[in-house]
């Protein structure tokens, strides 16, 4: 990993550094191994390349990623504040502490970006200017919004949080869902996630020799994702069982539905063809050597794995979630959500003619280009 960090330092030097350093603070609950956490670190690199001093502020100690040395890291533990029974008072007092810490230890930020609901419900009480929320999931799926009393209560709470500051959505689908469920009181815009193509390609060169006894380059289909309902591993396995199964299916990830998914593979009689290789904080070598990549999700915010696969010249097929995939892939690569037969046919084609699903990486996703969009939006609003 040392060569990757060295690359960040030497190649990722800011193109311009003003006499007065501009500062951005990216707030997130923790840095566990999720897509949102990876997105925050990548976006931070984009701001760094534009000459910003970048600070990552989290509220829990958990870290599952190698940390970019170009960025500055801070932690204020929220856990002690859970002893305050009144939740509203709890968040108000902690937000005041966060504001004091930022001004005292970091200085006045030019931009503050709050990421995910756990951070947003704290930062809604912040008194600092230039704060925006980054909405990374469709709220209808995230909070299971349906037409009932509990939903109405939740919608009121979400409106109270998100109407106070601009909301930056990571896909057009996420923004449409936000507006449809919370209404016109929300100020929103779409700015996609950032992807460091060069870093992804460099990380993909790391060795996975320990797993080569199980997989052969270009001779397997890959899926990367947590084992949970939204990722629809049940649909994936049922579709694979109906395909030609010409190549093994490799699954990377962890989650509460892992054992249930393994049992389904056994019940379908495909356990010898489906390889569960666990969670890996660097999935890119597996992605680079895959014959093709398949996404079976029922819902997504943006879907990081699609542009990551495209950055490595890996063919992709995907379910057409309400947000995400259709904004990056042509119709030829998409199938309806939860349609086992359609996905089976597409996986068969992916295994037989992967070149039919190969598309170029879009340069607009590069970190400095995405960071610039945040700057432009803030200065124009």
């Amino acid at each position: 990993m040392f060569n990757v960090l060295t690359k960040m330092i030497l190649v990722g030097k800011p193109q311009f550094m003003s006499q007065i350093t501009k500062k951005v603070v990216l707030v997130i609950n923790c840095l566990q191994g999720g897509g949102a956490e990876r997105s925050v670190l990548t976006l931070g690199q984009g701001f760094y390349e534009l000459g910003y001093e970048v600070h990552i502020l989290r509220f829990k100690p958990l870290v599952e990623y190698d940390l970019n040395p170009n960025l500055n890291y801070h932690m204020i533990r929220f856990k002690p504040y859970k002893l305050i029974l009144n939740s509203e008072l709890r968040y108000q007092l902690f937000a005041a502490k966060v504001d004091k810490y930022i001004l005292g230890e970091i200085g006045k930020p030019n931009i503050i970006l709050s990421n995910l609901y756990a951070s947003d419900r704290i930062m809604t009480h912040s008194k600092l200017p230039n704060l925006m929320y980054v909405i990374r999931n469709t709220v209808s799926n995230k909070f299971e919004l349906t037409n009932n009393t509990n939903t109405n209560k939740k919608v009121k709470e979400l409106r109270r949080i998100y109407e106070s500051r601009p909301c930056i959505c990571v896909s057009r689908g996420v923004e449409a869902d936000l507006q449809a469920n919370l209404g016109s009181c929300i100020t929103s815009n779409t700015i996609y996630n950032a992807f460091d193509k060069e870093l992804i390609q460099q990380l993909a060169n790391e060795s996975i020799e320990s797993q080569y006894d199980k997989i052969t380059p270009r001779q397997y289909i890959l899926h990367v994702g947590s084992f949970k309902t939204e990722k629809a591993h049940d649909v994936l396995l049922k579709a694979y069982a109906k395909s030609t199964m010409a190549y093994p299916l490799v699954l990377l990830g962890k989650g509460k539905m892992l054992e249930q998914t393994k049992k389904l593979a056994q019940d379908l009689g495909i356990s010898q063809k489906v390889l569960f290789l666990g969670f890996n904080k660097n999935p890119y070598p597996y992605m680079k050597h895959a014959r093709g990549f398949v996404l079976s999700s029922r819902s997504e915010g943006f879907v990081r794995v699609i542009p990551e696969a495209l950055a490595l010249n890996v063919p992709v097929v995907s379910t057409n979630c309400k947000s995400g995939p259709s904004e990056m892939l042509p119709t030829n690569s998409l199938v309806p959500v939860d349609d086992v037969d359609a996905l089976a046919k597409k996986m068969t084609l992916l295994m037989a003619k992967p070149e039919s699903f190969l598309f170029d990486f879009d340069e607009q996703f590069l970190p400095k280009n995405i960071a610039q969009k945040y700057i432009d939006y803030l200065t124009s609003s």
Side-chain angles (χ1 to χ4, degrees), residues 164-235:
S164 63
R165 309 287 184 123
C167 295
I168 305 300
C169 303
V170 297
S171 73
R172 292 192 298 271
V174 167
E175 183 178 12
D177 181 80
L178 183 73
Q179 290 289 341
N181 285 278
L182 302 190
S184 58
C185 62
I186 306 299
T187 300
S188 64
N189 190 35
T190 294
I191 299 177
Y192 292 125
N193 280 325
F195 296 86
D196 191 333
K197 180 180 179 180
E198 186 178 349
L199 179 58
I200 290 170
Q201 291 174 341
Q202 188 164 349
L203 287 169
N205 290 329
E206 289 192 357
S207 174
I208 53 172
E209 292 179 0
S210 62
Q211 300 287 3
Y212 275 165
D213 59 330
K214 298 181 179 179
I215 59 176
T216 303
R218 301 300 174 192
Q219 303 298 303
Y220 63 92
I221 302 299
L222 179 68
H223 178 278
V224 179
S226 301
F227 288 86
K228 56 186 180 180
T229 303
E230 294 86 349
K231 299 300 182 181
H233 285 87
D234 56 330
V235 173

Side-chain angles (χ1 to χ4, degrees), residues 11 55 213 261 309 315 326:
V11 179
H55 299 266
D213 59 330
T261 306
S326 65

Side-chain angles (χ1 to χ4, degrees), residues 7-8 11-17 42-52 54 68 70-71 196 198 366-369 371:
K7 173 263 172 185
M8 287 179 174
V11 179
K13 287 185 177 179
Q15 297 176 345
F16 172 79
M17 189 69 84
T42 305
L43 180 59
Q45 174 65 19
F47 278 108
Y48 174 82
E49 291 176 14
L50 293 176
Y52 277 70
V54 183
N68 183 342
N70 295 329
L71 316 182
D196 191 333
E198 186 178 349
L366 293 177
K368 66 177 182 180
N369 294 339

Side-chain angles (χ1 to χ4, degrees), residues 130-157:
N130 303 327
L131 188 152
M132 297 185 286
Y133 302 111
V134 183
I135 311 300
R136 299 188 175 277
N137 301 288
T138 52
V139 294
S140 60
N141 288 317
K142 173 69 176 177
F143 300 102
E144 299 180 348
L145 300 182
T146 55
N147 190 20
N148 57 48
T149 302
N150 290 334
T151 291
N152 293 335
K153 182 179 179 181
K154 192 65 181 181
V155 166
K156 288 181 180 179
E157 179 194 351

